[in-house]
PDB file of all heavy atoms in Angstrom:
ATOM      1  N   ALA A   1      11.567  -0.696   0.979  1.00 98.00           N
ATOM      2  CA  ALA A   1      10.923  -1.055  -0.268  1.00 98.00           C
ATOM      3  C   ALA A   1      10.690   0.155  -1.121  1.00 98.00           C
ATOM      4  O   ALA A   1      10.878   0.215  -2.342  1.00 98.00           O
ATOM      5  CB  ALA A   1       9.534  -1.766  -0.025  1.00 98.00           C
ATOM      6  N   GLU A   2      10.252   1.303  -0.458  1.00 98.00           N
ATOM      7  CA  GLU A   2       9.982   2.554  -1.175  1.00 98.00           C
ATOM      8  C   GLU A   2      11.295   3.091  -1.730  1.00 98.00           C
ATOM      9  O   GLU A   2      11.351   3.595  -2.862  1.00 98.00           O
ATOM     10  CB  GLU A   2       9.262   3.560  -0.260  1.00 98.00           C
ATOM     11  CG  GLU A   2       7.848   3.172   0.044  1.00 98.00           C
ATOM     12  CD  GLU A   2       7.208   4.035   1.141  1.00 98.00           C
ATOM     13  OE1 GLU A   2       7.906   4.966   1.629  1.00 98.00           O
ATOM     14  OE2 GLU A   2       6.040   3.715   1.350  1.00 98.00           O
ATOM     15  N   ASP A   3      12.413   3.013  -0.962  1.00 98.00           N
ATOM     16  CA  ASP A   3      13.671   3.458  -1.476  1.00 98.00           C
ATOM     17  C   ASP A   3      14.144   2.647  -2.715  1.00 98.00           C
ATOM     18  O   ASP A   3      14.692   3.209  -3.598  1.00 98.00           O
ATOM     19  CB  ASP A   3      14.714   3.369  -0.341  1.00 98.00           C
ATOM     20  CG  ASP A   3      14.573   4.365   0.751  1.00 98.00           C
ATOM     21  OD1 ASP A   3      13.763   5.337   0.604  1.00 98.00           O
ATOM     22  OD2 ASP A   3      15.188   4.155   1.819  1.00 98.00           O
ATOM     23  N   LEU A   4      13.918   1.352  -2.657  1.00 97.00           N
ATOM     24  CA  LEU A   4      14.243   0.519  -3.790  1.00 97.00           C
ATOM     25  C   LEU A   4      13.407   0.850  -5.030  1.00 97.00           C
ATOM     26  O   LEU A   4      13.938   0.968  -6.092  1.00 97.00           O
ATOM     27  CB  LEU A   4      14.032  -0.974  -3.403  1.00 97.00           C
ATOM     28  CG  LEU A   4      14.349  -1.961  -4.567  1.00 97.00           C
ATOM     29  CD1 LEU A   4      15.791  -1.951  -4.812  1.00 97.00           C
ATOM     30  CD2 LEU A   4      13.910  -3.358  -4.136  1.00 97.00           C
ATOM     31  N   ALA A   5      12.114   1.070  -4.836  1.00 98.00           N
ATOM     32  CA  ALA A   5      11.226   1.516  -5.906  1.00 98.00           C
ATOM     33  C   ALA A   5      11.679   2.883  -6.474  1.00 98.00           C
ATOM     34  O   ALA A   5      11.764   3.029  -7.739  1.00 98.00           O
ATOM     35  CB  ALA A   5       9.790   1.605  -5.446  1.00 98.00           C
ATOM     36  N   ILE A   6      12.054   3.824  -5.691  1.00 97.00           N
ATOM     37  CA  ILE A   6      12.560   5.047  -6.217  1.00 97.00           C
ATOM     38  C   ILE A   6      13.795   4.917  -6.949  1.00 97.00           C
ATOM     39  O   ILE A   6      13.996   5.445  -8.049  1.00 97.00           O
ATOM     40  CB  ILE A   6      12.701   6.131  -5.030  1.00 97.00           C
ATOM     41  CG1 ILE A   6      11.302   6.476  -4.493  1.00 97.00           C
ATOM     42  CG2 ILE A   6      13.469   7.299  -5.453  1.00 97.00           C
ATOM     43  CD1 ILE A   6      11.332   7.167  -3.090  1.00 97.00           C
ATOM     44  N   ALA A   7      14.729   4.098  -6.456  1.00 97.00           N
ATOM     45  CA  ALA A   7      16.028   3.806  -7.078  1.00 97.00           C
ATOM     46  C   ALA A   7      15.800   3.127  -8.468  1.00 97.00           C
ATOM     47  O   ALA A   7      16.543   3.419  -9.441  1.00 97.00           O
ATOM     48  CB  ALA A   7      16.923   2.936  -6.261  1.00 97.00           C
ATOM     49  N   ARG A   8      14.769   2.362  -8.638  1.00 96.00           N
ATOM     50  CA  ARG A   8      14.410   1.702  -9.841  1.00 96.00           C
ATOM     51  C   ARG A   8      13.548   2.602 -10.718  1.00 96.00           C
ATOM     52  O   ARG A   8      13.083   2.212 -11.779  1.00 96.00           O
ATOM     53  CB  ARG A   8      13.717   0.384  -9.583  1.00 96.00           C
ATOM     54  CG  ARG A   8      14.524  -0.623  -8.955  1.00 96.00           C
ATOM     55  CD  ARG A   8      13.794  -1.902  -8.789  1.00 96.00           C
ATOM     56  NE  ARG A   8      14.594  -3.015  -8.288  1.00 96.00           N
ATOM     57  CZ  ARG A   8      14.183  -4.197  -8.052  1.00 96.00           C
ATOM     58  NH1 ARG A   8      12.921  -4.536  -8.288  1.00 96.00           N
ATOM     59  NH2 ARG A   8      14.970  -5.129  -7.537  1.00 96.00           N
ATOM     60  N   LYS A   9      13.241   3.848 -10.310  1.00 97.00           N
ATOM     61  CA  LYS A   9      12.449   4.794 -11.043  1.00 97.00           C
ATOM     62  C   LYS A   9      11.031   4.209 -11.294  1.00 97.00           C
ATOM     63  O   LYS A   9      10.459   4.483 -12.355  1.00 97.00           O
ATOM     64  CB  LYS A   9      13.126   5.168 -12.335  1.00 97.00           C
ATOM     65  CG  LYS A   9      14.423   5.805 -12.064  1.00 97.00           C
ATOM     66  CD  LYS A   9      15.079   6.390 -13.335  1.00 97.00           C
ATOM     67  CE  LYS A   9      16.441   6.955 -13.175  1.00 97.00           C
ATOM     68  NZ  LYS A   9      16.915   7.362 -11.921  1.00 97.00           N
ATOM     69  N   CYS A  10      10.435   3.555 -10.335  1.00 98.00           N
ATOM     70  CA  CYS A  10       9.096   3.033 -10.434  1.00 98.00           C
ATOM     71  C   CYS A  10       8.100   4.213 -10.297  1.00 98.00           C
ATOM     72  O   CYS A  10       8.307   5.160  -9.623  1.00 98.00           O
ATOM     73  CB  CYS A  10       8.765   2.025  -9.351  1.00 98.00           C
ATOM     74  SG  CYS A  10       9.794   0.514  -9.552  1.00 98.00           S
ATOM     75  N   ARG A  11       6.925   4.048 -10.935  1.00 98.00           N
ATOM     76  CA  ARG A  11       5.822   4.975 -10.884  1.00 98.00           C
ATOM     77  C   ARG A  11       5.176   4.947  -9.519  1.00 98.00           C
ATOM     78  O   ARG A  11       4.840   5.948  -8.916  1.00 98.00           O
ATOM     79  CB  ARG A  11       4.846   4.623 -11.993  1.00 98.00           C
ATOM     80  CG  ARG A  11       3.610   5.551 -12.042  1.00 98.00           C
ATOM     81  CD  ARG A  11       2.468   4.993 -12.772  1.00 98.00           C
ATOM     82  NE  ARG A  11       1.868   3.761 -12.251  1.00 98.00           N
ATOM     83  CZ  ARG A  11       0.931   3.790 -11.265  1.00 98.00           C
ATOM     84  NH1 ARG A  11       0.448   4.900 -10.817  1.00 98.00           N
ATOM     85  NH2 ARG A  11       0.452   2.684 -10.753  1.00 98.00           N
ATOM     86  N   ALA A  12       5.011   3.658  -8.948  1.00 98.00           N
ATOM     87  CA  ALA A  12       4.229   3.462  -7.753  1.00 98.00           C
ATOM     88  C   ALA A  12       4.555   2.110  -7.130  1.00 98.00           C
ATOM     89  O   ALA A  12       5.206   1.242  -7.766  1.00 98.00           O
ATOM     90  CB  ALA A  12       2.730   3.539  -8.056  1.00 98.00           C
ATOM     91  N   ILE A  13       4.238   1.980  -5.878  1.00 98.00           N
ATOM     92  CA  ILE A  13       4.198   0.675  -5.174  1.00 98.00           C
ATOM     93  C   ILE A  13       2.712   0.276  -5.142  1.00 98.00           C
ATOM     94  O   ILE A  13       1.844   1.102  -4.729  1.00 98.00           O
ATOM     95  CB  ILE A  13       4.837   0.742  -3.811  1.00 98.00           C
ATOM     96  CG1 ILE A  13       6.258   1.000  -3.879  1.00 98.00           C
ATOM     97  CG2 ILE A  13       4.540  -0.530  -3.055  1.00 98.00           C
ATOM     98  CD1 ILE A  13       7.022   1.023  -2.568  1.00 98.00           C
ATOM     99  N   THR A  14       2.479  -0.970  -5.454  1.00 98.00           N
ATOM    100  CA  THR A  14       1.075  -1.535  -5.448  1.00 98.00           C
ATOM    101  C   THR A  14       1.015  -2.673  -4.496  1.00 98.00           C
ATOM    102  O   THR A  14       2.074  -3.297  -4.219  1.00 98.00           O
ATOM    103  CB  THR A  14       0.629  -1.944  -6.824  1.00 98.00           C
ATOM    104  OG1 THR A  14       1.383  -3.014  -7.336  1.00 98.00           O
ATOM    105  CG2 THR A  14       0.647  -0.755  -7.796  1.00 98.00           C
ATOM    106  N   MET A  15      -0.092  -2.985  -4.014  1.00 98.00           N
ATOM    107  CA  MET A  15      -0.335  -4.150  -3.135  1.00 98.00           C
ATOM    108  C   MET A  15      -1.738  -4.574  -3.181  1.00 98.00           C
ATOM    109  O   MET A  15      -2.606  -3.757  -3.533  1.00 98.00           O
ATOM    110  CB  MET A  15       0.132  -3.821  -1.729  1.00 98.00           C
ATOM    111  CG  MET A  15      -0.741  -2.840  -1.032  1.00 98.00           C
ATOM    112  SD  MET A  15      -0.200  -2.427   0.656  1.00 98.00           S
ATOM    113  CE  MET A  15       1.249  -1.514   0.398  1.00 98.00           C
ATOM    114  N   THR A  16      -1.962  -5.791  -2.644  1.00 98.00           N
ATOM    115  CA  THR A  16      -3.389  -6.227  -2.436  1.00 98.00           C
ATOM    116  C   THR A  16      -3.468  -6.504  -0.902  1.00 98.00           C
ATOM    117  O   THR A  16      -2.587  -7.056  -0.305  1.00 98.00           O
ATOM    118  CB  THR A  16      -3.697  -7.488  -3.261  1.00 98.00           C
ATOM    119  OG1 THR A  16      -2.795  -8.473  -2.975  1.00 98.00           O
ATOM    120  CG2 THR A  16      -3.768  -7.187  -4.701  1.00 98.00           C
ATOM    121  N   VAL A  17      -4.638  -6.206  -0.393  1.00 97.00           N
ATOM    122  CA  VAL A  17      -4.953  -6.393   1.016  1.00 97.00           C
ATOM    123  C   VAL A  17      -6.287  -6.996   1.151  1.00 97.00           C
ATOM    124  O   VAL A  17      -7.258  -6.529   0.467  1.00 97.00           O
ATOM    125  CB  VAL A  17      -4.808  -5.071   1.893  1.00 97.00           C
ATOM    126  CG1 VAL A  17      -5.123  -5.269   3.282  1.00 97.00           C
ATOM    127  CG2 VAL A  17      -3.531  -4.354   1.680  1.00 97.00           C
ATOM    128  N   ILE A  18      -6.461  -8.004   1.984  1.00 97.00           N
ATOM    129  CA  ILE A  18      -7.765  -8.638   2.215  1.00 97.00           C
ATOM    130  C   ILE A  18      -8.686  -7.598   2.709  1.00 97.00           C
ATOM    131  O   ILE A  18      -8.386  -6.821   3.663  1.00 97.00           O
ATOM    132  CB  ILE A  18      -7.675  -9.783   3.195  1.00 97.00           C
ATOM    133  CG1 ILE A  18      -6.790 -10.932   2.625  1.00 97.00           C
ATOM    134  CG2 ILE A  18      -9.007 -10.278   3.552  1.00 97.00           C
ATOM    135  CD1 ILE A  18      -6.467 -12.104   3.551  1.00 97.00           C
ATOM    136  N   THR A  19      -9.938  -7.478   2.132  1.00 97.00           N
ATOM    137  CA  THR A  19     -10.820  -6.377   2.391  1.00 97.00           C
ATOM    138  C   THR A  19     -11.286  -6.386   3.881  1.00 97.00           C
ATOM    139  O   THR A  19     -11.575  -5.312   4.448  1.00 97.00           O
ATOM    140  CB  THR A  19     -12.064  -6.548   1.566  1.00 97.00           C
ATOM    141  OG1 THR A  19     -12.715  -7.829   1.739  1.00 97.00           O
ATOM    142  CG2 THR A  19     -11.872  -6.293   0.090  1.00 97.00           C
ATOM    143  N   GLN A  20     -11.317  -7.462   4.557  1.00 96.00           N
ATOM    144  CA  GLN A  20     -11.613  -7.497   5.990  1.00 96.00           C
ATOM    145  C   GLN A  20     -10.561  -7.082   6.922  1.00 96.00           C
ATOM    146  O   GLN A  20     -10.765  -6.941   8.090  1.00 96.00           O
ATOM    147  CB  GLN A  20     -12.018  -9.001   6.360  1.00 96.00           C
ATOM    148  CG  GLN A  20     -13.296  -9.408   5.815  1.00 96.00           C
ATOM    149  CD  GLN A  20     -13.224 -10.052   4.466  1.00 96.00           C
ATOM    150  OE1 GLN A  20     -12.283  -9.863   3.674  1.00 96.00           O
ATOM    151  NE2 GLN A  20     -14.248 -10.806   4.036  1.00 96.00           N
ATOM    152  N   ARG A  21      -9.336  -6.801   6.416  1.00 95.00           N
ATOM    153  CA  ARG A  21      -8.212  -6.377   7.273  1.00 95.00           C
ATOM    154  C   ARG A  21      -8.216  -4.829   7.412  1.00 95.00           C
ATOM    155  O   ARG A  21      -7.321  -4.111   7.075  1.00 95.00           O
ATOM    156  CB  ARG A  21      -6.920  -6.835   6.612  1.00 95.00           C
ATOM    157  CG  ARG A  21      -6.781  -8.308   6.385  1.00 95.00           C
ATOM    158  CD  ARG A  21      -6.617  -9.100   7.670  1.00 95.00           C
ATOM    159  NE  ARG A  21      -5.731  -8.574   8.617  1.00 95.00           N
ATOM    160  CZ  ARG A  21      -4.390  -8.720   8.596  1.00 95.00           C
ATOM    161  NH1 ARG A  21      -3.812  -9.404   7.638  1.00 95.00           N
ATOM    162  NH2 ARG A  21      -3.667  -8.148   9.498  1.00 95.00           N
ATOM    163  N   HIS A  22      -9.280  -4.383   8.076  1.00 95.00           N
ATOM    164  CA  HIS A  22      -9.474  -2.906   8.161  1.00 95.00           C
ATOM    165  C   HIS A  22      -8.284  -2.155   8.907  1.00 95.00           C
ATOM    166  O   HIS A  22      -7.893  -1.067   8.520  1.00 95.00           O
ATOM    167  CB  HIS A  22     -10.791  -2.600   8.929  1.00 95.00           C
ATOM    168  CG  HIS A  22     -11.958  -3.231   8.271  1.00 95.00           C
ATOM    169  ND1 HIS A  22     -12.424  -2.764   6.962  1.00 95.00           N
ATOM    170  CD2 HIS A  22     -12.738  -4.279   8.641  1.00 95.00           C
ATOM    171  CE1 HIS A  22     -13.515  -3.553   6.723  1.00 95.00           C
ATOM    172  NE2 HIS A  22     -13.661  -4.462   7.609  1.00 95.00           N
ATOM    173  N   GLU A  23      -7.736  -2.850   9.949  1.00 93.00           N
ATOM    174  CA  GLU A  23      -6.652  -2.201  10.693  1.00 93.00           C
ATOM    175  C   GLU A  23      -5.402  -2.153   9.846  1.00 93.00           C
ATOM    176  O   GLU A  23      -4.621  -1.184   9.994  1.00 93.00           O
ATOM    177  CB  GLU A  23      -6.445  -2.986  12.046  1.00 93.00           C
ATOM    178  CG  GLU A  23      -5.767  -4.349  11.918  1.00 93.00           C
ATOM    179  CD  GLU A  23      -6.622  -5.449  11.298  1.00 93.00           C
ATOM    180  OE1 GLU A  23      -7.857  -5.367  11.242  1.00 93.00           O
ATOM    181  OE2 GLU A  23      -6.028  -6.438  10.823  1.00 93.00           O
ATOM    182  N   LEU A  24      -5.221  -3.116   9.009  1.00 95.00           N
ATOM    183  CA  LEU A  24      -4.024  -3.109   8.139  1.00 95.00           C
ATOM    184  C   LEU A  24      -4.186  -2.093   7.017  1.00 95.00           C
ATOM    185  O   LEU A  24      -3.214  -1.394   6.737  1.00 95.00           O
ATOM    186  CB  LEU A  24      -3.817  -4.569   7.538  1.00 95.00           C
ATOM    187  CG  LEU A  24      -2.540  -4.707   6.775  1.00 95.00           C
ATOM    188  CD1 LEU A  24      -1.271  -4.409   7.501  1.00 95.00           C
ATOM    189  CD2 LEU A  24      -2.490  -6.189   6.285  1.00 95.00           C
ATOM    190  N   ILE A  25      -5.398  -2.021   6.488  1.00 97.00           N
ATOM    191  CA  ILE A  25      -5.631  -0.972   5.418  1.00 97.00           C
ATOM    192  C   ILE A  25      -5.392   0.424   6.014  1.00 97.00           C
ATOM    193  O   ILE A  25      -4.742   1.232   5.405  1.00 97.00           O
ATOM    194  CB  ILE A  25      -7.111  -1.142   4.919  1.00 97.00           C
ATOM    195  CG1 ILE A  25      -7.233  -2.492   4.130  1.00 97.00           C
ATOM    196  CG2 ILE A  25      -7.467   0.092   4.120  1.00 97.00           C
ATOM    197  CD1 ILE A  25      -8.607  -2.891   3.799  1.00 97.00           C
ATOM    198  N   ALA A  26      -5.867   0.708   7.230  1.00 97.00           N
ATOM    199  CA  ALA A  26      -5.667   1.917   7.870  1.00 97.00           C
ATOM    200  C   ALA A  26      -4.198   2.255   8.136  1.00 97.00           C
ATOM    201  O   ALA A  26      -3.668   3.323   7.954  1.00 97.00           O
ATOM    202  CB  ALA A  26      -6.403   1.994   9.140  1.00 97.00           C
ATOM    203  N   TRP A  27      -3.467   1.216   8.446  1.00 97.00           N
ATOM    204  CA  TRP A  27      -1.954   1.277   8.702  1.00 97.00           C
ATOM    205  C   TRP A  27      -1.323   1.733   7.428  1.00 97.00           C
ATOM    206  O   TRP A  27      -0.506   2.677   7.451  1.00 97.00           O
ATOM    207  CB  TRP A  27      -1.375  -0.031   9.159  1.00 97.00           C
ATOM    208  CG  TRP A  27       0.059   0.019   9.632  1.00 97.00           C
ATOM    209  CD1 TRP A  27       0.533   0.363  10.864  1.00 97.00           C
ATOM    210  CD2 TRP A  27       1.206  -0.295   8.897  1.00 97.00           C
ATOM    211  NE1 TRP A  27       1.927   0.338  10.907  1.00 97.00           N
ATOM    212  CE2 TRP A  27       2.396  -0.113   9.668  1.00 97.00           C
ATOM    213  CE3 TRP A  27       1.375  -0.699   7.542  1.00 97.00           C
ATOM    214  CZ2 TRP A  27       3.602  -0.348   9.200  1.00 97.00           C
ATOM    215  CZ3 TRP A  27       2.665  -0.891   7.081  1.00 97.00           C
ATOM    216  CH2 TRP A  27       3.721  -0.742   7.938  1.00 97.00           C
ATOM    217  N   TYR A  28      -1.635   1.151   6.256  1.00 98.00           N
ATOM    218  CA  TYR A  28      -1.029   1.533   5.047  1.00 98.00           C
ATOM    219  C   TYR A  28      -1.516   2.903   4.585  1.00 98.00           C
ATOM    220  O   TYR A  28      -0.766   3.677   4.130  1.00 98.00           O
ATOM    221  CB  TYR A  28      -1.390   0.536   3.914  1.00 98.00           C
ATOM    222  CG  TYR A  28      -0.582  -0.719   3.945  1.00 98.00           C
ATOM    223  CD1 TYR A  28      -1.142  -1.943   4.168  1.00 98.00           C
ATOM    224  CD2 TYR A  28       0.825  -0.710   3.758  1.00 98.00           C
ATOM    225  CE1 TYR A  28      -0.396  -3.125   4.198  1.00 98.00           C
ATOM    226  CE2 TYR A  28       1.628  -1.828   3.831  1.00 98.00           C
ATOM    227  CZ  TYR A  28       0.971  -3.077   4.095  1.00 98.00           C
ATOM    228  OH  TYR A  28       1.724  -4.158   4.101  1.00 98.00           O
ATOM    229  N   GLU A  29      -2.793   3.302   4.847  1.00 98.00           N
ATOM    230  CA  GLU A  29      -3.233   4.623   4.524  1.00 98.00           C
ATOM    231  C   GLU A  29      -2.505   5.666   5.279  1.00 98.00           C
ATOM    232  O   GLU A  29      -2.237   6.738   4.653  1.00 98.00           O
ATOM    233  CB  GLU A  29      -4.799   4.675   4.793  1.00 98.00           C
ATOM    234  CG  GLU A  29      -5.608   3.941   3.774  1.00 98.00           C
ATOM    235  CD  GLU A  29      -7.128   4.027   4.003  1.00 98.00           C
ATOM    236  OE1 GLU A  29      -7.517   4.061   5.211  1.00 98.00           O
ATOM    237  OE2 GLU A  29      -7.877   4.019   3.107  1.00 98.00           O
ATOM    238  N   ARG A  30      -2.170   5.383   6.504  1.00 97.00           N
ATOM    239  CA  ARG A  30      -1.375   6.330   7.316  1.00 97.00           C
ATOM    240  C   ARG A  30       0.016   6.596   6.705  1.00 97.00           C
ATOM    241  O   ARG A  30       0.708   7.639   6.979  1.00 97.00           O
ATOM    242  CB  ARG A  30      -1.291   5.938   8.756  1.00 97.00           C
ATOM    243  CG  ARG A  30      -2.579   6.122   9.529  1.00 97.00           C
ATOM    244  CD  ARG A  30      -2.376   5.897  11.010  1.00 97.00           C
ATOM    245  NE  ARG A  30      -1.858   4.625  11.471  1.00 97.00           N
ATOM    246  CZ  ARG A  30      -2.554   3.504  11.677  1.00 97.00           C
ATOM    247  NH1 ARG A  30      -3.904   3.541  11.504  1.00 97.00           N
ATOM    248  NH2 ARG A  30      -1.975   2.382  12.114  1.00 97.00           N
ATOM    249  N   ARG A  31       0.467   5.663   5.870  1.00 98.00           N
ATOM    250  CA  ARG A  31       1.768   5.752   5.226  1.00 98.00           C
ATOM    251  C   ARG A  31       1.673   6.149   3.753  1.00 98.00           C
ATOM    252  O   ARG A  31       2.596   6.060   2.959  1.00 98.00           O
ATOM    253  CB  ARG A  31       2.491   4.446   5.387  1.00 98.00           C
ATOM    254  CG  ARG A  31       3.080   4.318   6.756  1.00 98.00           C
ATOM    255  CD  ARG A  31       3.031   2.929   7.386  1.00 98.00           C
ATOM    256  NE  ARG A  31       3.330   3.158   8.795  1.00 98.00           N
ATOM    257  CZ  ARG A  31       2.433   3.328   9.722  1.00 98.00           C
ATOM    258  NH1 ARG A  31       1.178   3.498   9.400  1.00 98.00           N
ATOM    259  NH2 ARG A  31       2.713   3.470  11.055  1.00 98.00           N
ATOM    260  N   GLY A  32       0.469   6.717   3.409  1.00 98.00           N
ATOM    261  CA  GLY A  32       0.347   7.279   2.022  1.00 98.00           C
ATOM    262  C   GLY A  32      -0.233   6.382   0.972  1.00 98.00           C
ATOM    263  O   GLY A  32      -0.279   6.750  -0.213  1.00 98.00           O
ATOM    264  N   TYR A  33      -0.568   5.183   1.273  1.00 98.00           N
ATOM    265  CA  TYR A  33      -1.141   4.188   0.342  1.00 98.00           C
ATOM    266  C   TYR A  33      -2.661   4.421   0.293  1.00 98.00           C
ATOM    267  O   TYR A  33      -3.304   4.743   1.269  1.00 98.00           O
ATOM    268  CB  TYR A  33      -0.845   2.741   0.702  1.00 98.00           C
ATOM    269  CG  TYR A  33       0.627   2.417   0.553  1.00 98.00           C
ATOM    270  CD1 TYR A  33       1.539   2.842   1.559  1.00 98.00           C
ATOM    271  CD2 TYR A  33       1.095   1.826  -0.608  1.00 98.00           C
ATOM    272  CE1 TYR A  33       2.893   2.586   1.395  1.00 98.00           C
ATOM    273  CE2 TYR A  33       2.437   1.590  -0.724  1.00 98.00           C
ATOM    274  CZ  TYR A  33       3.308   1.971   0.293  1.00 98.00           C
ATOM    275  OH  TYR A  33       4.678   1.753   0.110  1.00 98.00           O
ATOM    276  N   ARG A  34      -3.180   4.349  -0.927  1.00 98.00           N
ATOM    277  CA  ARG A  34      -4.582   4.602  -1.140  1.00 98.00           C
ATOM    278  C   ARG A  34      -5.278   3.501  -1.949  1.00 98.00           C
ATOM    279  O   ARG A  34      -4.692   2.912  -2.881  1.00 98.00           O
ATOM    280  CB  ARG A  34      -4.828   5.913  -1.961  1.00 98.00           C
ATOM    281  CG  ARG A  34      -4.267   7.116  -1.294  1.00 98.00           C
ATOM    282  CD  ARG A  34      -5.162   7.522  -0.058  1.00 98.00           C
ATOM    283  NE  ARG A  34      -4.496   8.589   0.671  1.00 98.00           N
ATOM    284  CZ  ARG A  34      -4.039   8.451   1.940  1.00 98.00           C
ATOM    285  NH1 ARG A  34      -4.076   7.226   2.516  1.00 98.00           N
ATOM    286  NH2 ARG A  34      -3.521   9.471   2.647  1.00 98.00           N
ATOM    287  N   PRO A  35      -6.525   3.181  -1.581  1.00 98.00           N
ATOM    288  CA  PRO A  35      -7.283   2.163  -2.374  1.00 98.00           C
ATOM    289  C   PRO A  35      -7.441   2.734  -3.795  1.00 98.00           C
ATOM    290  O   PRO A  35      -7.762   3.879  -4.002  1.00 98.00           O
ATOM    291  CB  PRO A  35      -8.619   2.041  -1.656  1.00 98.00           C
ATOM    292  CG  PRO A  35      -8.315   2.496  -0.227  1.00 98.00           C
ATOM    293  CD  PRO A  35      -7.303   3.590  -0.430  1.00 98.00           C
ATOM    294  N   THR A  36      -7.244   1.856  -4.795  1.00 98.00           N
ATOM    295  CA  THR A  36      -7.422   2.306  -6.157  1.00 98.00           C
ATOM    296  C   THR A  36      -8.875   2.157  -6.643  1.00 98.00           C
ATOM    297  O   THR A  36      -9.203   2.667  -7.764  1.00 98.00           O
ATOM    298  CB  THR A  36      -6.600   1.460  -7.107  1.00 98.00           C
ATOM    299  OG1 THR A  36      -7.036   0.067  -7.074  1.00 98.00           O
ATOM    300  CG2 THR A  36      -5.072   1.538  -6.740  1.00 98.00           C
ATOM    301  N   GLY A  37      -9.672   1.462  -5.889  1.00 98.00           N
ATOM    302  CA  GLY A  37     -11.085   1.131  -6.287  1.00 98.00           C
ATOM    303  C   GLY A  37     -11.186  -0.216  -6.978  1.00 98.00           C
ATOM    304  O   GLY A  37     -12.275  -0.723  -7.139  1.00 98.00           O
ATOM    305  N   GLU A  38     -10.026  -0.809  -7.283  1.00 98.00           N
ATOM    306  CA  GLU A  38     -10.027  -2.136  -7.861  1.00 98.00           C
ATOM    307  C   GLU A  38     -10.033  -3.181  -6.818  1.00 98.00           C
ATOM    308  O   GLU A  38      -9.479  -3.015  -5.769  1.00 98.00           O
ATOM    309  CB  GLU A  38      -8.698  -2.336  -8.759  1.00 98.00           C
ATOM    310  CG  GLU A  38      -8.580  -3.615  -9.454  1.00 98.00           C
ATOM    311  CD  GLU A  38      -7.271  -3.836 -10.067  1.00 98.00           C
ATOM    312  OE1 GLU A  38      -6.408  -2.848 -10.206  1.00 98.00           O
ATOM    313  OE2 GLU A  38      -6.961  -5.036 -10.532  1.00 98.00           O
ATOM    314  N   THR A  39     -10.760  -4.282  -7.091  1.00 97.00           N
ATOM    315  CA  THR A  39     -10.756  -5.416  -6.204  1.00 97.00           C
ATOM    316  C   THR A  39     -10.321  -6.689  -7.038  1.00 97.00           C
ATOM    317  O   THR A  39     -10.408  -6.654  -8.239  1.00 97.00           O
ATOM    318  CB  THR A  39     -12.174  -5.692  -5.607  1.00 97.00           C
ATOM    319  OG1 THR A  39     -13.067  -5.902  -6.604  1.00 97.00           O
ATOM    320  CG2 THR A  39     -12.623  -4.525  -4.693  1.00 97.00           C
TER     321      THR A  39
END
């Protein structure tokens, strides 16, 4: 997905994650994704 985004010259990859999914949020954070502060 990241390779596709780079090929398309995207600024960023965005996603939404259920707030209670702490282990999933941590998994994405380990891969460079950060909460934007938006809910």
Side-chain angles (χ1 to χ4, degrees):
E2 291 171 359
D3 290 346
L4 181 66
I6 290 166
R8 291 183 178 179
K9 300 186 182 344
C10 292
R11 178 196 67 85
I13 292 184
T14 63
M15 68 179 71
T16 55
V17 182
I18 295 173
T19 56
Q20 288 88 340
R21 302 290 315 278
H22 304 292
E23 72 291 341
L24 186 56
I25 292 167
W27 188 86
Y28 283 118
E29 286 178 327
R30 289 192 300 273
R31 282 144 193 87
Y33 291 81
R34 298 289 171 248
T36 65
E38 180 185 352
T39 60

